[in-house]
C-alpha cells in the first residue's frame, strides 16, 4: 500500500471477525445448495460435504497464515502480488472481484426468490440497495447487523435439525451410501457446496480493519469455519434422514420441505424467512469483501484510482462500495441464479488456488496443506458444470489479456 494512501480504521476484534465470517458462510448456500448437491452426489452427499470441508479447511489455513503476515485489504490479491509477483496478484484479485460480484447477485436473487417469488428481480435489486447503504455507513454497523442475522439464522437451523431428529418420518437408513455415487458427482457436489463455505475470505479481506491481525485472523478463520462445518453437517444429516437423497435432489426449497415432511408445516414460513435473512447476511458481508479487494486493486491502479478513496467520516471505501453496488444491482435485475452460482464458484476456486500457491512460498516445511488446497481447488473447479467452466475460464483469460494490454501500454509510455 502506498505510504500516502489513507488507512482503514482497525475496529474489529475476534468476535466480530468470526461473526462476519459466519454471516458469509451460513447464508443462502445451506438453504439452496443441498438440492443440486444431492442431485450430483446422490447418496454420497455427506462425502461431498466432507470434501468441501477439507478443501475449505486448507484454504482457510492458508488464508489465515497469509492474512496474519499481510494484514491489508485485498486478500489473495495482496498475497499473490507479494509472494508470486504482480501478475498472479492481479489475477487473484480479478478472480475474486468477478466471482464474488456474481455471488452477490446470487445472494440477492435468493432473497427475492424466498420473499416474493413473483417479483424476484425487483426484490433482489432492493436488497442490494439496502445492503450497500448499511456498508456505506461503516463496517462496525455492518458487523452489528450481521451479528443479529447470524443469531436468528442459527436459531432457525437448530430448530430445523431438532425437528428432523425428533420426527417419526426420520430414517437413519437413508444415510447409507449406495451404488449411485460417482467420483465426479461427489466432486461436483463439493464444488456446489463450496459456494456456501467460502465466506471465511471476508475475514482475510478485512485484514486492515481488525485489531492485532497477527493474533485475531488465525483465531477467527478456523473458529468460523469449524462452526459452519458442524452446522452444515447436522443440517445435511437431518435433510437426508427425513427426505432421503432422491427426494432432496428434487426439492426446490429443501429445508422448508424437510419441516413439512417431518410434520411441522407451520415452521415452513419461518424457514423461508430465515433463508431470505441468511442470504441478506451473506450479501452484506460479500459487498464488504468485494469492495475491499476493489480498493486494493484501485490503489495499485489495476482498477480506476478514484475507487481508492476512503470516506473521511465513515472510514470506508465509499466509491468502491457504490461501484460494486451498482454492478451487483444490474446483475440482480437480469441474471439467472444457478448460472451465477456456478460462475462464482469457478472464480472463487481460482482465487483460492492462487492463495494456496502463495502460502507454499512461506515455509518449505509446511507445504502439505497449501498443496492439498491448490489441488483441491482445481479439482472442484473443473468438476463444475461445463458451462460454468467455459465461462469462468474465458473471463479469467479476458482478465489476463487486460493485464497484458495495460503492461504494454505502460512500457510504451516509459519508452516514449
Amino acid at each position: 500500500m502506498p505510504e500516502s494512501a489513507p488507512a482503514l480504521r482497525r475496529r474489529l476484534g475476534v468476535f466480530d471477525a468470526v461473526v462476519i465470517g459466519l454471516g458469509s458462510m451460513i447464508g443462502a448456500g445451506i438453504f439452496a445448495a443441498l438440492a443440486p448437491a444431492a442431485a450430483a452426489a446422490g447418496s454420497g452427499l455427506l462425502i461431498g460435504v466432507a470434501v468441501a470441508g477439507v478443501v475449505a479447511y486448507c484454504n482457510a489455513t492458508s488464508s489465515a497464515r497469509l492474512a496474519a503476515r499481510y494484514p491489508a485489504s485485498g486478500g489473495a490479491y495482496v498475497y499473490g502480488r507479494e509472494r508470486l509477483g504482480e501478475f498472479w496478484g492481479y489475477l487473484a484479485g480479478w478472480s475474486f472481484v468477478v466471482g464474488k460480484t456474481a455471488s452477490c447477485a446470487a445472494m440477492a436473487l435468493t432473497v427475492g426468490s424466498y420473499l416474493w417469488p413473483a417479483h424476484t428481480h425487483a426484490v433482489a435489486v432492493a436488497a442490494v440497495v439496502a445492503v450497500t447503504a448499511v456498508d456505506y455507513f461503516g463496517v462496525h454497523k455492518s458487523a452489528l447487523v450481521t451479528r443479529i442475522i447470524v443469531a436468528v439464522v442459527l436459531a432457525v437451523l437448530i430448530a430445523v435439525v431438532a425437528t428432523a431428529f425428533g420426527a417419526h418420518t426420520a430414517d437413519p437408513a437413508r444415510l447409507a451410501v449406495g451404488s449411485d455415487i460417482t467420483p465426479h458427482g461427489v466432486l461436483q457436489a463439493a464444488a456446489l457446496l463450496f459456494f456456501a463455505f467460502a465466506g471465511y475470505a471476508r475475514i482475510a479481506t478485512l485484514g486492515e480493519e481488525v485489531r492485532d491481525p497477527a493474533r485475531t485472523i488465525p483465531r477467527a478463520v478456523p473458529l468460523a469455519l469449524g462452526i459452519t462445518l458442524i452446522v452444515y453437517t447436522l443440517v445435511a444429516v437431518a435433510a437426508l434422514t427425513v427426505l432421503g437423497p432422491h427426494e432432496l435432489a428434487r426439492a426446490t426449497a429443501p429445508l422448508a420441505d424437510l419441516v413439512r415432511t417431518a410434520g411441522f408445516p407451520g415452521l415452513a414460513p419461518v424457514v423461508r424467512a430465515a433463508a431470505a435473512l441468511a442470504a441478506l447476511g451473506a450479501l452484506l458481508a460479500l459487498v464488504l469483501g468485494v469492495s475491499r479487494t476493489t480498493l486494493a486493486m484501485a490503489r495499485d491502479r489495476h482498477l480506476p484510482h478514484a475507487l481508492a478513496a476512503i470516506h473521511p467520516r465513515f472510514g470506508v471505501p465509499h466509491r468502491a462500495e457504490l461501484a460494486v453496488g451498482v454492478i451487483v444491482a444490474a446483475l440482480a435485475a437480469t441474471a439467472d441464479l444457478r448460472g451465477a452460482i456456478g460462475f462464482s464458484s469457478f472464480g472463487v476456486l481460482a482465487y483460492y488456488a492462487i492463495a494456496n500457491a502463495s502460502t507454499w512460498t512461506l515455509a518449505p516445511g509446511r507445504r502439505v496443506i497449501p498443496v492439498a488446497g491448490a489441488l483441491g481447488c482445481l479439482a472442484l473447479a473443473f468438476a463444475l458444470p461445463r458451462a460454468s467452466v467455459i465461462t469462468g475460464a474465458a473471463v479469467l483469460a479476458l482478465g489476463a489479456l487486460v493485464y497484458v494490454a495495460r503492461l504494454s501500454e505502460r512500457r510504451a509510455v516509459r519508452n516514449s
Side-chain angles (χ1 to χ4, degrees):
M1 182 178 68
E3 293 183 3
S4 59
L8 298 173
R9 299 172 189 169
R10 296 191 183 278
R11 292 180 283 187
L12 301 178
V14 174
F15 182 76
D16 279 337
V18 169
V19 169
I20 288 176
L22 289 176
S24 300
M25 287 184 279
I26 302 180
I30 193 59
F31 292 92
L34 281 177
S43 60
L45 176 63
L46 290 180
I47 301 176
V49 173
V51 171
V54 168
V55 175
Y57 171 78
C58 293
N59 294 342
T61 302
S62 293
S63 296
R65 288 178 62 192
L66 289 162
R69 184 157 181 167
Y70 301 102
S73 287
Y77 166 68
V78 174
Y79 316 148
R81 183 190 64 199
E82 296 296 325
R83 306 303 307 181
L84 302 175
E86 187 175 346
F87 170 75
W88 292 106
Y90 166 84
L91 193 62
W94 176 273
S95 300
F96 182 87
V97 170
V98 171
K100 285 303 185 179
T101 298
S103 292
C104 291
M107 294 300 97
L109 289 166
T110 302
V111 175
S113 65
Y114 273 92
L115 286 184
W116 199 355
H119 299 278
T120 296
H121 291 284
V123 175
V125 172
V128 173
V129 172
V131 163
T132 302
V134 170
D135 284 337
Y136 187 95
F137 290 110
V139 69
H140 183 70
K141 291 185 176 67
S142 299
L144 175 62
V145 173
T146 302
R147 188 183 307 169
I148 296 170
I149 292 173
V150 169
V152 172
V153 172
L154 279 175
V156 171
L157 289 178
I158 290 170
V160 168
V161 171
T163 297
F165 289 169
H168 68 278
T169 55
D171 183 3
R174 295 183 177 126
L175 297 174
V177 175
S179 59
D180 58 332
I181 70 169
T182 64
H184 181 269
V186 169
L187 287 177
Q188 187 170 110
L192 293 167
L193 290 166
F194 185 83
F195 174 79
F197 275 104
Y200 49 80
R202 300 298 74 69
I203 300 172
T205 54
L206 293 173
E208 196 174 322
E209 293 163 89
V210 297
R211 298 189 300 268
D212 191 7
R215 175 178 176 272
T216 298
I217 293 172
R219 290 187 177 189
V221 169
L223 276 173
L225 178 62
I227 294 170
T228 301
L229 181 58
I230 292 170
V231 172
Y232 280 13
T233 300
L234 288 174
V235 173
V237 169
L240 286 172
T241 55
V242 172
L243 298 175
H246 302 299
E247 187 176 347
L248 176 59
R250 293 191 295 268
T252 55
L255 298 191
D257 290 352
L258 186 160
V259 295
R260 192 179 299 110
T261 303
F264 295 87
L267 190 56
V270 177
V271 172
R272 289 183 177 275
L277 189 63
L280 195 61
L283 177 61
L284 186 69
L286 281 166
V287 171
L288 275 175
V290 175
S291 63
R292 269 56 181 181
T293 301
T294 300
L295 165 70
M297 295 184 73
R299 281 172 170 170
D300 292 338
R301 300 184 183 275
H302 289 304
L303 292 174
H305 190 62
L307 299 177
I310 303 295
H311 196 285
R313 178 180 175 187
F314 302 120
V316 299
H318 57 297
R319 292 179 183 172
E321 288 182 346
L322 290 176
V324 170
V326 169
I327 294 171
V328 173
L331 288 174
T334 58
D336 169 75
L337 177 58
R338 286 180 178 264
I341 290 175
F343 177 76
S344 171
S345 295
F346 188 91
V348 173
L349 286 163
Y351 167 90
Y352 281 116
I354 296 173
N356 279 290
S358 301
T359 307
W360 185 84
T361 69
L362 288 177
R366 300 175 61 187
R367 289 177 170 174
V368 173
I369 287 178
V371 168
L375 293 176
C377 286
L378 293 175
L380 295 189
F382 287 98
L384 286 164
R386 183 176 299 178
S388 297
V389 174
I390 293 173
T391 304
V395 172
L396 290 187
L398 175 62
L401 289 174
V402 169
Y403 177 87
V404 171
R406 289 180 61 86
L407 187 62
S408 300
E409 181 182 348
R410 290 177 186 174
R411 288 175 177 172
V413 170
R414 285 198 300 266
N415 294 332
S416 60

